[in-house]
């Protein structure tokens, strides 16, 4: 049986491409999206407070304690999925939780929090998405772990579930607490 030599090169290239892609997809977690902001200060911002539009919030307002900054929106189905866990974290874990209401209508966001509960110390209104852009946010929800100096230590893309809290976020918080003598 004779193989057409003109087909051998493309066939070989295709087989090599399949092998490379197969190994490449197994090497990394497909949900892992690295952040250039790890070990850098949280971006500066000046945004209105969702519940007090006369109050302007800045990066200084989220410094002073280990905290989570959660980017969320009423139009985000996974934000509703993670919300019970955020409520639990705010009530049981003693971790400050700040919200960034992203590309949303403030009236809808307030009604959503009244209906589902409000785990946040305060919410920043990022209706133009400027802070989200500075954070490199791909969509909602995304959660950032900050040390007490306001430096980003970890980024999680997707819903914060109990499993995600236990396996990914809490170990970072616990390490920060130990390093800073709070644990």
């Amino acid at each position: 049986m004779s193989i057409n030599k003109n087909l051998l090169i493309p066939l070989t290239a295709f087989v090599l491409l399949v092998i490379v892609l197969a190994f490449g997809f197994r090497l990394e977690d497909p949900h892992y999206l690295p952040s250039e902001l790890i070990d850098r200060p949280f971006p500066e911002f000046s945004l209105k407070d969702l519940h007090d539009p006369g109050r302007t919030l800045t990066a200084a307002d989220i410094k002073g304690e280990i905290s989570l900054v959660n980017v969320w929106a009423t139009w985000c189905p996974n934000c509703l999925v993670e919300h019970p866990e955020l409520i639990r974290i705010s009530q049981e874990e003693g971790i400050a939780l700040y919200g960034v209401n992203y590309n949303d209508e403030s009236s809808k966001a307030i009604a959503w929090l009244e209906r589902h509960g409000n785990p946040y110390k305060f919410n920043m209104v990022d209706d133009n998405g400027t802070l989200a852009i500075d954070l490199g946010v791909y969509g909602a929800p995304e959660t950032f772990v900050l040390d007490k100096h306001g430096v980003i230590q970890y980024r999680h893309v997707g819903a914060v579930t109990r499993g995600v809290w236990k396996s990914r976020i809490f170990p970072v918080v616990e390490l920060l607490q130990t390093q800073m003598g709070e644990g």
Side-chain angles (χ1 to χ4, degrees):
M1 177 176 206
S2 171
I3 297 178
N4 184 342
K5 292 181 183 181
N6 291 337
L7 292 177
L8 191 57
I9 292 173
L11 181 61
T12 303
F14 175 75
V15 169
L16 288 174
L17 181 64
V18 168
I19 291 170
V20 167
L21 289 175
F23 280 108
F25 285 128
R26 291 184 184 173
L27 294 177
E28 266 193 52
D29 178 355
H31 298 292
Y32 174 69
L33 293 171
S35 176
E36 303 253 340
L37 296 177
I38 301 298
D39 292 327
R40 292 191 183 164
F42 197 81
E44 291 295 324
F45 63 90
S46 180
L47 297 172
K48 296 195 179 314
D49 184 309
L50 178 66
H51 287 91
D52 182 3
R55 177 181 177 204
T56 299
L57 302 165
T58 68
D61 292 308
I62 59 174
K63 291 181 182 175
E65 59 191 331
I66 297 167
S67 62
L68 303 179
V69 176
N70 177 253
V71 179
W72 70 281
T74 61
W75 47 260
C76 160
N78 281 331
C79 295
L80 188 56
V81 169
E82 78 175 356
H83 202 72
E85 183 61 13
L86 297 180
I87 295 280
R88 189 199 67 76
I89 290 167
S90 73
Q91 292 174 352
E92 297 176 13
E93 300 290 345
I95 302 298
L97 185 57
Y98 302 102
V100 177
N101 184 239
Y102 171 55
N103 282 344
D104 213 344
E105 292 180 34
S106 292
S107 60
K108 287 183 180 180
I110 291 168
W112 195 90
L113 290 171
E114 287 173 359
R115 185 171 42 254
H116 301 293
N118 187 354
Y120 306 106
K121 280 189 156 187
F122 58 75
N123 268 286
M124 299 155 255
V125 176
D126 192 18
D127 50 0
N128 293 322
T130 53
L131 178 57
I133 289 169
D134 290 345
L135 287 168
V137 167
Y138 290 93
E142 289 195 25
T143 303
F144 297 83
V145 178
L146 279 58
D147 67 19
K148 68 176 163 181
H149 303 290
V151 175
I152 298 171
Q153 298 297 318
Y154 182 76
R155 171 189 184 197
H156 176 74
V157 176
V160 175
T161 61
R162 182 71 59 99
V164 166
W165 170 256
K166 287 181 177 179
S167 67
R168 297 183 185 174
I169 297 174
F170 180 70
V172 175
V173 169
E174 190 173 42
L175 179 62
L176 289 172
Q177 290 172 332
T178 301
Q179 289 173 345
M180 297 181 179
E182 296 180 6

Coordinates of all heavy atoms in Angstrom, one line a residue, residues 101-140:
N101 N -20.1 46.6 42.7 CA -21.3 46.4 41.9 C -20.9 46.8 40.5 O -20.8 48.0 40.2 CB -22.5 47.1 42.5 CG -23.7 46.8 41.7 OD1 -24.4 47.7 41.1 ND2 -24.1 45.5 41.6
Y102 N -20.8 45.9 39.6 CA -20.2 46.1 38.3 C -21.2 46.2 37.1 O -22.0 45.3 37.0 CB -19.3 44.9 38.0 CG -18.7 44.7 36.7 CD1 -17.9 45.7 36.1 CD2 -18.8 43.5 36.0 CE1 -17.3 45.5 34.9 CE2 -18.2 43.3 34.8 CZ -17.5 44.3 34.2 OH -16.9 44.1 33.0
N103 N -21.1 47.3 36.4 CA -22.0 47.5 35.2 C -23.5 47.2 35.5 O -24.1 46.4 34.8 CB -21.5 46.7 34.0 CG -20.3 47.4 33.4 OD1 -20.0 48.6 33.6 ND2 -19.6 46.6 32.6
D104 N -24.0 47.8 36.5 CA -25.3 47.5 37.0 C -26.1 48.7 37.2 O -25.5 49.8 37.3 CB -25.2 46.7 38.3 CG -26.2 45.6 38.5 OD1 -27.3 45.7 37.8 OD2 -26.0 44.8 39.4
E105 N -27.4 48.6 37.5 CA -28.2 49.7 37.9 C -28.3 49.7 39.4 O -28.7 48.7 40.0 CB -29.6 49.6 37.3 CG -29.6 49.8 35.8 CD -31.1 49.6 35.2 OE1 -32.0 50.0 35.9 OE2 -31.2 49.1 34.1
S106 N -28.0 50.8 40.0 CA -28.0 50.9 41.5 C -29.3 50.5 42.1 O -29.3 49.8 43.1 CB -27.5 52.3 41.9 OG -26.2 52.5 41.6
S107 N -30.4 50.9 41.5 CA -31.7 50.6 42.1 C -31.9 49.1 42.1 O -32.4 48.5 43.1 CB -32.8 51.3 41.4 OG -32.9 50.9 40.0
K108 N -31.5 48.4 41.0 CA -31.6 46.9 41.0 C -30.7 46.3 42.0 O -31.1 45.3 42.6 CB -31.3 46.4 39.6 CG -32.4 46.7 38.5 CD -32.0 46.1 37.2 CE -33.1 46.4 36.2 NZ -32.7 45.8 34.8
A109 N -29.5 46.8 42.1 CA -28.5 46.2 43.0 C -29.0 46.3 44.5 O -28.9 45.4 45.3 CB -27.2 46.9 42.9
I110 N -29.6 47.5 44.9 CA -30.1 47.6 46.2 C -31.3 46.7 46.5 O -31.3 46.0 47.5 CB -30.5 49.1 46.4 CG1 -29.3 50.0 46.5 CG2 -31.4 49.3 47.7 CD1 -29.6 51.5 46.4
A111 N -32.2 46.6 45.5 CA -33.3 45.6 45.7 C -32.8 44.2 45.7 O -33.4 43.4 46.5 CB -34.3 45.8 44.5
W112 N -31.8 43.8 45.0 CA -31.3 42.5 45.0 C -30.7 42.2 46.3 O -30.9 41.1 46.9 CB -30.2 42.4 43.9 CG -29.7 41.0 43.5 CD1 -30.3 40.3 42.5 CD2 -28.6 40.3 44.0 NE1 -29.5 39.1 42.4 CE2 -28.5 39.1 43.3 CE3 -27.7 40.6 45.0 CZ2 -27.6 38.2 43.6 CZ3 -26.7 39.6 45.3 CH2 -26.7 38.4 44.6
L113 N -29.9 43.1 46.9 CA -29.3 42.9 48.2 C -30.4 42.8 49.3 O -30.3 42.1 50.3 CB -28.3 44.0 48.6 CG -27.0 43.9 47.7 CD1 -26.2 45.2 48.0 CD2 -26.2 42.7 48.1
E114 N -31.5 43.6 49.2 CA -32.6 43.6 50.2 C -33.3 42.2 50.1 O -33.6 41.6 51.1 CB -33.6 44.7 49.9 CG -33.1 46.0 50.3 CD -34.0 47.2 49.9 OE1 -35.0 46.9 49.3 OE2 -33.6 48.3 50.2
R115 N -33.4 41.7 48.9 CA -34.0 40.4 48.7 C -33.2 39.2 49.2 O -33.7 38.3 49.8 CB -34.4 40.2 47.3 CG -35.2 38.9 47.0 CD -35.8 38.9 45.5 NE -34.9 39.3 44.5 CZ -35.0 40.5 43.8 NH1 -35.9 41.4 44.1 NH2 -34.1 40.8 42.9
H116 N -31.9 39.2 48.9 CA -31.0 38.1 49.1 C -30.1 38.3 50.4 O -29.4 37.3 50.7 CB -30.1 37.8 47.9 CG -31.0 37.5 46.7 ND1 -31.7 36.4 46.6 CD2 -31.2 38.2 45.6 CE1 -32.3 36.4 45.4 NE2 -32.0 37.5 44.8
G117 N -30.0 39.4 50.9 CA -29.1 39.7 52.1 C -27.9 40.4 51.6 O -27.5 40.3 50.4
N118 N -27.3 41.2 52.5 CA -26.1 42.0 52.2 C -24.9 41.6 53.0 O -24.8 41.9 54.2 CB -26.4 43.5 52.4 CG -25.3 44.4 51.9 OD1 -24.3 43.9 51.5 ND2 -25.6 45.6 51.9
P119 N -24.0 40.8 52.4 CA -22.8 40.4 53.2 C -21.7 41.4 53.2 O -20.7 41.2 53.9 CB -22.3 39.2 52.4 CG -22.7 39.5 51.0 CD -24.0 40.3 51.1
Y120 N -21.8 42.5 52.5 CA -20.8 43.5 52.3 C -20.8 44.6 53.4 O -21.8 45.1 53.8 CB -20.9 44.1 50.9 CG -21.0 43.1 49.8 CD1 -22.2 42.9 49.2 CD2 -19.9 42.4 49.4 CE1 -22.3 42.0 48.1 CE2 -19.9 41.5 48.4 CZ -21.1 41.3 47.7 OH -21.2 40.4 46.7
K121 N -19.5 45.0 53.8 CA -19.4 46.2 54.6 C -19.9 47.4 53.8 O -20.5 48.3 54.4 CB -17.9 46.4 55.0 CG -17.5 45.5 56.2 CD -16.1 46.0 56.6 CE -15.9 45.6 58.1 NZ -14.7 46.1 58.6
F122 N -19.5 47.5 52.6 CA -20.1 48.5 51.7 C -19.9 48.0 50.2 O -19.1 47.1 50.0 CB -19.5 49.9 51.9 CG -18.0 50.0 51.7 CD1 -17.4 50.0 50.5 CD2 -17.2 50.2 52.9 CE1 -16.0 50.1 50.4 CE2 -15.8 50.3 52.8 CZ -15.2 50.3 51.5
N123 N -20.6 48.6 49.3 CA -20.5 48.4 47.9 C -20.1 49.6 47.1 O -20.7 50.7 47.3 CB -21.9 47.9 47.4 CG -22.1 46.4 47.4 OD1 -21.5 45.7 46.6 ND2 -22.8 46.0 48.4
M124 N -19.1 49.4 46.3 CA -18.7 50.5 45.4 C -19.5 50.4 44.1 O -19.6 49.3 43.6 CB -17.2 50.3 45.1 CG -16.3 50.4 46.3 SD -14.7 49.6 46.1 CE -15.0 48.1 47.0
V125 N -20.0 51.5 43.6 CA -20.8 51.5 42.4 C -19.8 51.7 41.2 O -19.3 52.8 41.0 CB -21.8 52.6 42.4 CG1 -22.6 52.6 41.0 CG2 -22.8 52.4 43.5
D126 N -19.5 50.6 40.5 CA -18.6 50.7 39.3 C -19.5 50.6 38.0 O -19.4 49.6 37.2 CB -17.6 49.5 39.4 CG -16.5 49.7 38.4 OD1 -16.3 50.8 37.9 OD2 -15.8 48.7 38.1
D127 N -20.4 51.5 37.9 CA -21.3 51.5 36.8 C -20.7 51.7 35.4 O -21.3 51.3 34.4 CB -22.5 52.5 37.0 CG -22.1 53.9 37.3 OD1 -20.8 54.1 37.4 OD2 -23.0 54.7 37.5
N128 N -19.5 52.2 35.3 CA -18.8 52.4 34.0 C -17.8 51.3 33.8 O -17.1 51.2 32.8 CB -18.2 53.7 33.9 CG -19.2 54.8 33.8 OD1 -20.2 54.7 33.2 ND2 -18.9 56.0 34.5
G129 N -17.6 50.4 34.9 CA -16.6 49.4 34.8 C -15.1 49.8 34.8 O -14.2 49.0 34.5
T130 N -14.9 51.0 35.3 CA -13.5 51.5 35.3 C -12.6 50.7 36.3 O -11.5 50.3 36.0 CB -13.4 53.0 35.7 OG1 -14.1 53.2 36.9 CG2 -14.0 53.8 34.5
L131 N -13.1 50.4 37.5 CA -12.4 49.7 38.5 C -12.2 48.2 38.0 O -11.1 47.7 38.1 CB -13.0 49.7 39.9 CG -12.3 48.9 41.0 CD1 -10.8 49.3 41.1 CD2 -13.1 48.9 42.3
A132 N -13.2 47.7 37.4 CA -13.1 46.3 36.9 C -12.1 46.2 35.8 O -11.3 45.2 35.8 CB -14.5 45.9 36.4
I133 N -12.0 47.2 35.0 CA -11.0 47.2 33.9 C -9.6 47.3 34.6 O -8.7 46.5 34.2 CB -11.2 48.4 33.0 CG1 -12.4 48.1 32.1 CG2 -9.9 48.6 32.1 CD1 -12.9 49.3 31.3
D134 N -9.4 48.1 35.6 CA -8.1 48.2 36.3 C -7.7 46.9 37.0 O -6.6 46.6 37.1 CB -8.1 49.4 37.3 CG -8.2 50.7 36.6 OD1 -7.9 50.8 35.4 OD2 -8.5 51.7 37.4
L135 N -8.7 46.2 37.4 CA -8.5 44.9 38.0 C -8.3 43.7 37.0 O -7.9 42.6 37.4 CB -9.7 44.5 39.0 CG -9.8 45.3 40.2 CD1 -11.1 45.1 40.9 CD2 -8.6 44.9 41.2
G136 N -8.6 44.0 35.8 CA -8.5 42.9 34.8 C -9.6 41.9 34.8 O -9.4 40.8 34.5
V137 N -10.7 42.4 35.3 CA -11.9 41.5 35.5 C -12.4 41.1 34.1 O -12.6 41.9 33.2 CB -13.0 42.2 36.3 CG1 -14.3 41.5 36.2 CG2 -12.6 42.4 37.7
Y138 N -12.7 39.7 34.0 CA -13.2 39.2 32.8 C -14.7 39.2 32.8 O -15.4 39.1 31.8 CB -12.7 37.7 32.6 CG -11.3 37.6 32.3 CD1 -10.3 37.4 33.3 CD2 -10.8 37.7 31.0 CE1 -9.0 37.3 33.0 CE2 -9.5 37.6 30.7 CZ -8.6 37.4 31.7 OH -7.2 37.3 31.4
G139 N -15.3 39.2 34.0 CA -16.7 39.1 34.1 C -17.0 38.9 35.6 O -16.1 38.8 36.4
A140 N -18.3 38.8 35.9 CA -18.6 38.6 37.3 C -19.1 37.2 37.5 O -19.6 36.6 36.6 CB -19.8 39.6 37.7

